[in-house]
Amino acid sequence: MTVPRPGRPEHSADDVRAVAALMRSGLRSGAVRRMTVPLRLTVEDGQGARFLVMPAVSADFGLCISKTATITDGPGPTVTAVVPVFATTGELLEVLDGAAVTNLKCAAVTALVTDRCATPGSSDLGIVGSGVQAWQQYLGVSAVREITRVRVHSRTAAGAEALCARINALGRARAVACASAEEATAGADVVSTATTSVLPLPIAADLPEHVHINCMGAHTTESREVSHTLLAAVTVVVEDIGTAVAEAGAIHRTALDLAALETGGQTGLGARPTVFSSTGHASLDLITSAHLVGRTHR
């Protein structure tokens, strides 16, 4: 049994593509629909700390996981998570670092959805946010599209500059920091939002008709990083409709879930804007864990 610690080598672009392919296979084969995935359970201690549990069981993969996280206001780390991975025979296979699972999952599902929704020639990426998940957005989008230009806006200029430096160090795209969300997103082929904002972000109003938006940050049933007006005017994609409605509101009832996106013969997605309104789903944590412990579905 191993528990990866912060500081170990980060996942590679090959890992992102491999997990995205495993997700696609699980969706197309029906393995994801056959999983048992309850809604996540959140409990509070009455003093501001929250404890989340996200279980999933898959006979196809022969695995059971239960991602468990704590969210506090500090001091120290504000989010700590682990993912115990069991074989369905009851054997404990590994205990994975929750951040490692979450980060790879987010990059991979971003790659999966972006590959399906973004126009093939997309090369211009706008990012709002500059934290860990903003970096996963760059990794996910650039895994499936030849991104040559990246514009980044963050609530702190230092954060935006740091993310740009990290992207530029790879030598595949030119990244620049922007003074506003509008400047970062205007005319972009793909937009990624990865913030803690509970109010719609002031992204550009003149987005191209083919734009694809990955909305990965904070959400409630009342709010999301993009406005309800925008969500009502686009094709919305979610991991799972039941989860999205319960956690991010009834406007998601008419969305495409990932299984429909992969198996429903959807055409012409590039003819109108698309938004991946992500709430997370433990089925994808299970698939990511399967990759990390070396399991493919049976």
Side-chain angles (χ1 to χ4, degrees):
M1 181 179 72
T2 60
V3 184
R5 298 295 182 186
R8 77 190 199 298
E10 189 179 41
H11 51 262
S12 66
D14 287 341
D15 286 316
V16 174
R17 296 187 189 98
V19 175
L22 195 57
M23 289 175 178
R24 178 172 288 113
S25 175
L27 289 160
R28 291 183 174 180
S29 69
V32 170
R33 287 203 184 278
R34 288 189 291 271
M35 290 186 194
T36 301
V37 185
L39 290 174
R40 80 185 84 201
L41 174 66
T42 302
V43 294
E44 300 186 13
D45 70 348
Q47 298 179 338
R50 290 182 292 156
F51 305 87
L52 286 69
V53 180
M54 297 174 61
V57 180
S58 171
D60 294 270
F61 284 87
L63 293 178
C64 170
I65 68 160
S66 183
K67 183 162 76 172
T68 303
T70 65
I71 303 175
T72 67
D73 294 328
T78 57
V79 180
T80 303
V82 295
V83 182
V85 183
F86 296 87
T88 48
T89 57
E91 176 190 1
L92 177 62
L93 301 177
E94 287 196 46
V95 178
L96 301 173
D97 173 51
V101 174
T102 298
N103 293 344
L104 178 53
K105 175 199 70 173
C106 289
V109 73
T110 292
L112 176 79
V113 176
T114 301
D115 197 31
R116 192 71 179 84
C117 294
T119 56
S122 296
S123 62
D124 190 339
L125 170 63
I127 301 176
V128 184
S130 62
V132 171
Q133 288 310 312
W135 172 244
Q136 304 311 319
Q137 286 303 294
Y138 174 73
L139 293 179
V141 174
S142 64
V144 295
R145 291 294 183 270
E146 293 293 331
I147 299 298
T148 59
R149 181 191 189 203
V150 184
R151 287 168 288 158
V152 178
H153 172 69
S154 178
R155 62 184 177 182
T156 66
E161 292 287 358
L163 179 57
C164 288
R166 194 173 185 184
I167 293 170
N168 287 328
L170 296 178
R172 298 198 298 265
R174 180 174 180 269
V176 296
C178 296
S180 68
E182 293 94 331
E183 182 185 353
T185 57
D189 299 310
V190 181
V191 171
S192 288
T193 62
T195 75
T196 58
S197 177
V198 296
L199 297 175
L201 297 166
I203 60 178
D206 59 342
L207 295 171
E209 289 187 0
H210 66 266
V211 70
H212 170 64
I213 301 172
N214 294 308
C215 182
M216 305 296 289
H219 62 271
T220 70
T221 54
E222 291 79 32
S223 64
R224 161 105 268 180
E225 292 172 305
V226 298
S227 68
H228 278 211
T229 300
L230 177 58
L231 285 177
V234 303
T235 299
V236 178
V237 178
V238 298
E239 293 98 338
D240 173 78
I241 291 175
T243 301
V245 170
E247 297 188 2
I251 196 169
H252 296 80
R253 289 190 188 280
T254 57
L256 295 175
D257 65 14
L258 293 184
L261 187 71
E262 283 297 324
T263 65
Q266 303 298 324
T267 59
L269 287 172
R272 64 180 299 193
T274 49
V275 172
F276 177 35
S277 184
S278 176
T279 54
H281 198 250
S283 63
L284 305 183
D285 292 287
L286 187 147
I287 290 173
T288 305
S289 299
H291 169 79
L292 292 173
V293 302
R295 288 252 183 145
T296 57
H297 69 283
R298 302 178 296 201

